[in-house]
Every structure is written in structure tokens, then in C-alpha cells.
Amino acid sequence: MGHKYLWTALCLWAFMCTLLHASSDGLLRVGLKKRQLDRDSIKAARSSKVDSKYVKAGLGDSDIDTVSLTNYLDAQYYGEIGVGSPSQKFTVIFDTGSSNLWVPSSKCYFSIACWLHPKYKSKKSSTYIANGKRVSINYGSGSVSGFLSQDSVEVGDLLIKDQVFIETTKEGSLSFVVAKFDGILGLGFQEISVGNVVPPWYNMVEQGLVKEKVFSFWLNRDADAEEGGELVFGGVDPKHFKGKHTYVPITDKGYWQFDMGDFLIGNMSTGYCDGGCSAIVDSGTSLLAGPTNIVTQINHAIGAEGIVSMECKQVVSEYGEMIWDLLVSGLGPDAVCSQIGLCFSNGKDQHVSSIIKTVVEKAGQEEASSKDDLGCTACELLVSWISTQLKQEGTKDSVLSYVNQLCESFPSPMGESAIDCNSLSKMPNITFTIGKKAFSLSPEQYVLKTGEGAATICLSGFIALDVPPPKGPLWILGDVFMGVYHTVFDYGNLQLGFAESA
């Protein structure tokens, strides 16, 4: 009997030591949940939330609060929050590409997604305050709608009082049905907040819950690791990165947007960012999204096989030489496609499809005009590619052969481009220049793997997404990039910091 009490005491002592260790550095950690990876799941993860649209303190600082993130398929990172009193728990994506908090409502009756996830019950919260204003949010993969409410929100050990959020009553996308998260907590600027709602991060700062106006992301890309990553509010964790951060200023408050320099495939500049490019860091986007013309070149260079290429190759065959001759003669690139009749002028010195639409949009169109639109899009792509090659003084035959090969790497309707898993060692690094410093991704870092053994499938981490002016063209550096580079979101100084992840 004495041994039994002694064993119980030892177990209790060990448990208390574990608790003390977990809280001694002020960080909250939760183990990684694992799930079998398959191709259908990766497609859902690629499109979830997605295309909407990124300091200094010691570990022992009580003003730093950490939220553990769960890694789902290297494509969704989510953590737990609480809403109401007593707290009702939800898993949310912490999304720097949007600015609202939403969770499913108990009044959501007709959306399948709501029946598969926890629902907020306002009647069970003593701190609930009614609002009722109707709102909706459109994401790249679908939309949610509902009404505003106000309540307390727990994020880690922080308690945000009087936070206005959205109770969703309709979630109109299959992505939300298969998603491992219940809702989204936006960490973008109030300028893009639906309903001009004050974002949770703003209230953390205003209510004095954080010492530094900084939060930072560490995403763990190790598939075998127990931790999915951590989001630190109020500072940075020095264990999350190596060396020093490179900081760049925010250029447009809304998304976490900055100016990016040259873009290289291997050691060769693409010429696409000679005059600079705009980019945003978006923790809610799984992949690396960029303009269709440059993503096609990347997929070609890494041997990825796209699906929608027939129209592109046909335009090369029928109009390639004409496009070359017009560009050599000095005709401006914006006028070439209307000159040969593939695009039509709108009377404002622009042709109808001067803003290249995404392949996803093109594939989804079933009207008779879709083929003509795709021909215009293909022409614009060819003009862009040939213009770049002209700067490098390539011959007509070699350039037309090259762009014909690019057509074969045109992204598929879901942005999915398959890669031979045995060819990773032969693929080039892809490099972004940020703050005059090179940030490279190796093939192992930008390729997503699914399955095991002979059933393993490799997919390109690059997806085509054309953001129209005035916001675009725009690069979206999602989790593929953030998994390699620890990212600091410095709200106080309006800047972003990047360093190699530890």
C-alpha cells in the first residue's frame, strides 16, 4: 500500500514538473495532430481559404504569448482559440491575408460545413453582446456569410475583451467541409476588414495585452515532427530562427505588402522583376502564388507538367512569328494581341483581356466566348515571354521553340502541376530577392509530396494567380515560403522581417 502511495506521489510530482516546464518560458505548446496524406486532401488544402489575398523580447518575458500551430498536410496551419464565457473552443487558421475573425454559428442550419464543426452558442456566454449586422466574406475558394456579434476571445493565455467577430450562417464551399479548421482569425490590417471591424490583433495592442507591437510565425515543415509550428504574439522566439532578420518596409497597409526585387530560376534572372515586384506574405495561403506567365516558366524549368496547354501551343503555331515580327518592329507589347485580332480594344488603349485571368477562371467558363478569351490570354503570355527573350538576344527559332515548351508547362485548372519525384536532385533553386538579399528555395522545399513508395506523388508548390491592378500584379508568399523563412510582422514599425527558420 505504501508503494502505491509513493508511486502516485511520484507521478503527481512528474506531472507538476511538466506543467512548470511548459509555462516557465511563457509559451503554450500543443502536439502535432497527424493525418494520412492523400492527393484529394492536398487538393482541398491547396484551395482552402487561400487565394484571398505578412522586436525583440526574451523567452521569459511574460508579455509574449505563444499559440501552437497544427500542421495539416504542410498546407494548413491552425491553432485553438476560445470564444465566450465560459470559453467555447475552436480551431482557426491564423491568416495574415485577411482581417476578420469568424466561427460557425449555432444558427447555421443549411451548410454542411457547420454540421461538421463546433458552433458558437451565444446563449451559453455571459459576456455576449448582440450586434446583428449582416456581412459576408469572399475567399478564393468560396464565401462565408453571417452576422456580427461581440464577445470575449481567448488566444493562448491572452483574453481579448469585447471582440467583434462574425457568426457564420452560411459556408458556401466544399473546402470548408473538408477543412481541418473551424474558422479564420485574420491578422491583416483594418483597411481590408469587412464591415470595418477592429481586428483581434488591434485589440490585443489597444488593451495592452502585448509589450511589443509584433507577432511572428514559425512553421515547421518537418513531416515527422510533433510540433506544427508556433505563432508568437508580442515578440519573437530566438529558437525559431538562425542569424539575423532582413527587414523591408510595408508599402500598402491592407495586406502585409512589400516591394520585392529580382526573381531567379537557378542562377538566371527571369527579367520579370527588373523594375521591382510587389508581394504579400500570407499565412492563409498554402502555396506560392504568382503571375501565370512567370509560374509557367518556373514549372517548365522544374519539369512540372501542366494540363491546359493546347490553346497556348496553337497560338504559338499560328501567330508566333507574327508576334515576334511586331515586337521587333517596335510595336508596344500592350498593342500586339489586338493588332493581330486575338484581343479587342475597349476604346481606352487597352484590350479586353489586358488583365490576364487565372487558369482556374478560364477552365471554369463554359460560354462560347471562353475559347476566344483563352486565345487572348495565351497571346498575352506569349508576348510577355517573347519580350523577355528579346532582351536576352535569342534567335527567332530558339525563342519560339522555347515558348512552345513553356506552353507544355501551363498550369492546370486547379493550379496543379505534377513532377517526377526522382528528378528533384536535377531541379534548380528558385530565388526571391528581398531587401537586396537572396532568399532561395530548394526543390525539397518547394515540392509537396503525397503518398508513400511507388504511390508517391510530387506536386509543384507554385500556383498561378493573377491579381488585377491596382493591387496587382502580385506575388503571394504563402506557407511554402514561410516554412523555410521565419517571418516577423512588425506592426509598430510597419515592416516585415525574414530569417532562415531553425
Side-chain angles (χ1 to χ4, degrees):
M1 184 65 71
H3 290 296
K4 179 179 179 181
Y5 285 129
L6 178 60
W7 174 248
T8 301
L10 287 172
C11 290
L12 180 61
W13 174 80
F15 176 69
M16 292 302 295
C17 286
T18 301
L19 289 180
L20 289 172
H21 175 73
S23 60
S24 63
D25 59 4
L27 304 179
L28 174 64
R29 295 183 173 88
V30 177
L32 173 66
K33 298 176 183 177
K34 294 183 181 294
R35 185 178 177 87
Q36 184 65 36
L37 182 63
D38 56 48
R39 193 171 185 181
D40 289 337
S41 297
I42 226 176
K43 285 182 180 179
R46 288 163 68 92
S47 61
S48 66
K49 192 286 138 192
V50 313
D51 306 325
S52 64
K53 15 170 183 25
Y54 191 138
V55 181
K56 298 178 181 179
L59 269 173
D61 195 326
S62 60
D63 293 304
I64 297 179
D65 194 73
T66 304
V67 176
S68 293
L69 303 177
T70 297
N71 176 4
Y72 178 53
L73 311 183
D74 272 348
Q76 296 175 9
Y77 289 85
Y78 55 91
E80 187 176 78
I81 66 168
V83 182
S85 304
S87 180
Q88 300 174 42
K89 301 300 183 181
F90 300 92
T91 57
V92 297
I93 285 182
F94 292 93
D95 176 25
T96 57
S98 65
S99 299
N100 291 85
L101 166 62
W102 64 262
V103 294
S105 172
S106 60
K107 297 178 177 63
C108 182
Y109 305 116
F110 303 111
S111 291
I112 297 176
C114 290
W115 292 101
L116 300 177
H117 296 277
K119 295 187 283 187
Y120 169 75
K121 301 175 178 64
S122 59
K123 291 183 178 180
K124 292 190 175 183
S125 175
S126 62
T127 47
Y128 164 74
I129 298 176
N131 181 305
K133 180 180 178 181
R134 303 293 302 184
V135 293
S136 62
I137 302 179
N138 293 312
Y139 296 110
S141 58
S143 63
V144 296
S145 59
F147 59 92
L148 298 181
S149 292
Q150 181 176 308
D151 210 333
S152 298
V153 175
E154 291 181 5
V155 181
D157 292 331
L158 305 181
L159 180 63
I160 307 171
K161 297 179 180 178
D162 303 321
Q163 176 65 50
V164 177
F165 65 100
I166 301 172
E167 287 191 52
T168 60
T169 55
K170 183 179 180 181
E171 298 181 15
S173 172
L174 179 63
S175 297
F176 299 125
V177 174
V178 300
K180 295 297 291 181
F181 60 88
D182 306 317
I184 291 176
L185 190 152
L187 291 168
F189 292 92
Q190 190 171 354
E191 280 78 357
I192 60 171
S193 174
V194 172
N196 198 35
V197 171
V198 178
W201 167 247
Y202 280 52
N203 280 328
M204 288 186 195
V205 174
E206 181 66 25
Q207 295 175 21
L209 301 179
V210 291
K211 182 178 180 180
E212 299 285 340
K213 298 178 182 179
V214 171
F215 59 90
S216 54
F217 272 89
W218 172 65
L219 304 183
N220 193 347
R221 304 296 278 185
D222 183 353
D224 297 322
E226 294 185 356
E227 292 178 292
E230 287 182 339
L231 165 59
V232 178
F233 289 106
V236 298
D237 184 339
K239 292 183 179 179
H240 288 164
F241 62 92
K242 303 174 184 177
K244 295 182 179 180
H245 288 86
T246 297
Y247 284 91
V248 289
I250 298 300
T251 56
D252 186 10
K253 286 179 65 179
Y255 303 112
W256 287 88
Q257 183 172 328
F258 66 99
D259 286 338
M260 186 174 72
D262 200 7
F263 180 86
L264 290 80
I265 300 176
N267 296 320
M268 296 294 293
S269 169
T270 61
Y272 186 81
C273 291
D274 282 346
C277 287
S278 293
I280 65 174
V281 186
D282 184 2
S283 61
T285 293
S286 304
L287 307 178
L288 272 161
T292 300
N293 58 354
I294 192 68
V295 169
T296 303
Q297 293 182 62
I298 295 171
N299 283 338
H300 170 68
I302 66 179
E305 297 179 358
I307 298 174
V308 185
S309 62
M310 183 180 299
E311 187 73 20
C312 181
K313 296 175 75 172
Q314 184 174 347
V315 172
V316 173
S317 174
E318 295 183 13
Y319 300 99
E321 291 194 11
M322 188 182 301
I323 292 172
W324 170 278
D325 293 339
L326 289 172
L327 289 171
V328 170
S329 71
L331 186 65
D334 290 342
V336 170
C337 294
S338 57
Q339 180 72 24
I340 63 179
L342 287 179
C343 299
F344 301 94
S345 173
N346 62 7
K348 298 180 181 179
D349 297 325
Q350 288 183 319
H351 46 267
V352 172
S353 297
S354 62
I355 302 169
I356 302 175
K357 295 182 179 180
T358 64
V359 180
V360 174
E361 294 172 324
K362 291 299 179 186
Q365 294 176 347
E366 295 181 354
E367 294 89 350
S369 63
S370 64
K371 185 177 185 300
D372 295 333
D373 289 343
L374 188 55
C376 178
T377 298
C379 180
E380 289 182 316
L381 290 171
L382 295 179
V383 168
S384 173
W385 295 335
I386 294 174
S387 296
T388 299
Q389 293 300 307
L390 277 173
K391 295 178 183 179
Q392 300 178 15
E393 301 182 351
T395 65
K396 179 191 292 188
D397 290 342
S398 65
V399 170
L400 293 181
S401 175
Y402 172 68
V403 296
N404 192 66
Q405 293 175 48
L406 288 182
C407 287
E408 296 177 357
S409 298
F410 207 80
S412 72
M414 285 301 293
E416 179 184 334
S417 297
I419 295 172
D420 180 0
C421 295
N422 296 319
S423 65
L424 265 65
S425 61
K426 301 176 183 178
M427 295 181 193
N429 288 346
I430 304 298
T431 302
F432 298 85
T433 305
I434 301 174
K436 297 182 179 180
K437 183 177 179 180
F439 289 81
S440 294
L441 300 177
S442 68
E444 291 76 16
Q445 293 168 333
Y446 63 70
V447 170
L448 296 178
K449 289 185 178 181
T450 170
E452 297 180 357
T456 299
I457 296 174
C458 291
L459 300 173
S460 169
F462 292 90
I463 188 170
L465 178 69
D466 294 288
V467 179
K471 286 288 185 183
L474 198 63
W475 282 91
I476 300 177
L477 308 186
D479 297 340
V480 167
F481 183 86
M482 293 178 66
V484 181
Y485 295 104
H486 179 263
T487 309
V488 176
F489 297 79
D490 188 342
Y491 175 78
N493 296 305
L494 293 180
Q495 62 181 358
L496 283 159
F498 304 96
E500 183 182 354
S501 288

